[in-house]
Amino acid sequence: MPVISATPDLDNLTLTITAEFAAPVDRVWQVYADPRQLEQIWGPPTYPATFVDFDFAPGGQARYYMTSPEGEKFGGWWKFTAIDATTSFSFTDGFADGDLNPVDGMPVSTNVYEFSPTETGTRAVYTSTYASAEDLQKVLEMGVVEGASMAINQIDALLAA
């Protein structure tokens, strides 16, 4: 399993997930830079993602929805703030309504995804920072650790394909 740790820190308002992959950094990077590959791993296995917009550049945005086994759609949005090709990217992440517009009152996180080479492949560190302990607690109760871990753990199969 790629996920080796998931650490919520209510004092620092962060959730940090660390994973390791048996593939080079540039290959892992492509999973996140290509929306068609990202669709294959974003969200838990039974909630496949569909990216409607994906402008992977600073100031660009992505909008997507995940579809439940019952056909219910859950939307989200990203606003990219920085991209350092193959090394890291940063974005703001939030919940979206049925028209993929941001939902007021739901937690928004600031995220940094960092990728570094290891002797056997790539280490990825995913750090999400929330505005308040209440926002972090809310997403923890919604199952963000389990959902994100299941999503990240799908990457190995995509890399092997």
Side-chain angles (χ1 to χ4, degrees):
M1 292 286 200
V3 172
I4 58 174
S5 69
T7 309
D9 183 340
L10 290 170
D11 292 334
N12 289 309
L13 311 178
T14 60
L15 171 60
T16 303
I17 297 175
T18 303
E20 292 187 347
F21 305 99
V25 170
D26 60 337
R27 178 62 188 102
V28 175
W29 176 264
Q30 281 305 311
V31 171
Y32 291 93
D34 176 358
R36 302 297 75 91
Q37 292 184 57
L38 189 56
E39 286 175 339
Q40 297 179 54
I41 61 92
W42 191 255
T46 57
Y47 285 72
T50 301
F51 279 82
V52 175
D53 297 312
F54 192 82
D55 181 9
F56 193 53
Q61 70 173 2
R63 294 183 311 148
Y64 67 92
Y65 59 88
M66 295 181 292
T67 305
S68 76
E70 299 76 31
E72 191 175 1
K73 293 184 184 330
F74 299 92
W77 59 268
W78 296 349
K79 173 106 178 165
F80 297 105
T81 53
I83 296 176
D84 184 4
T86 74
T87 303
S88 68
F89 67 98
S90 304
F91 61 101
T92 305
D93 176 24
F95 293 87
D97 63 19
D99 294 321
L100 300 180
N101 297 309
V103 174
D104 291 333
M106 289 297 287
V108 172
S109 60
T110 302
N111 299 271
V112 179
Y113 285 13
E114 298 174 289
F115 307 93
S116 58
T118 65
E119 287 184 20
T120 58
T122 300
R123 175 175 280 229
V125 178
Y126 309 94
T127 305
S128 302
T129 304
Y130 292 85
S132 68
E134 293 78 20
D135 283 354
L136 175 54
Q137 187 62 47
K138 184 171 189 170
V139 297
L140 290 171
E141 290 169 3
M142 293 171 73
V144 69
V145 171
E146 297 81 4
S149 295
M150 284 191 285
I152 293 165
N153 285 335
Q154 298 175 100
I155 295 174
D156 272 351
L158 178 61
L159 296 173

